[in-house]
Amino acid sequence: MIKALGLLLAAVLAGIALLHFYWAAGGGFGGGSAVPTVGGKRTFEPSTFATVMVGLAFVLAVLVVLGRMGYLGQFLPAWVFRVGALGIGLIFLARAIGDFRMVGFFKQASPSSFAFWDNWVYSPLCLGIAIVALVVAIRD
């Protein structure tokens, strides 16, 4: 059961990484709702470099999860993958909770496309990723 959850988590994280690489390459699908807006204006404009870095962070997360599941051999001590999975869980839990302004379940942002998707997809997905990553981190 834990292995299946870990593989599902790795697949979700890989999909998110691919989406960021798609955006970095100039793809536009979904990008209009990926950044918070205030008064119809995006709060920041992500650079190509930053978008690639986020994609690479997701690839690293995939490797951590696969390592925790035992699929990467003995290249690093097991505790590295356990701590990494715990970190992934805590980071995504913090993202789901949010900053109490623009993102997360407790945001106070005005209605926008981002806020809609954050309520119904992004924050619940982050919470799910957090729960599964924490389970993967603590279970053997």
Side-chain angles (χ1 to χ4, degrees), residues 20-43:
H20 281 81
F21 293 137
Y22 164 77
W23 286 333
F29 177 76
S33 299
V35 174
T37 58
V38 173
K41 294 184 180 184
R42 293 166 68 116
T43 57

Side-chain angles (χ1 to χ4, degrees), residues 7 12-14 26 34 36 51 60 71 85 101 104 107 126 137:
L7 290 174
V12 168
L13 293 170
T51 306
L60 180 61
Y71 291 114
R101 292 182 12 247
K107 70 180 156 301
C126 287

Side-chain angles (χ1 to χ4, degrees), residues 11 16 18 22 28 54 57 71 78 89-90 102 118 123 125 131 133:
I16 296 170
L18 289 174
Y22 164 77
V54 171
Y71 291 114
L90 294 175
M102 302 297 298
D118 191 48
S123 291
L125 179 62
I131 290 168

Side-chain angles (χ1 to χ4, degrees), residues 6 12 24-25 31 63 78 100 112-113 115 123 138 140:
V12 168
L63 294 174
F100 300 98
S112 66
S113 177
S123 291
I138 63 173
D140 284 324

Side-chain angles (χ1 to χ4, degrees), residues 69-95:
M69 303 284 55
Y71 291 114
L72 296 183
Q74 300 295 324
F75 296 110
L76 293 172
W79 68 265
V80 171
F81 297 117
R82 181 182 295 255
V83 170
L86 181 63
I88 292 166
L90 294 175
I91 287 167
F92 277 94
L93 180 60
R95 167 54 182 86

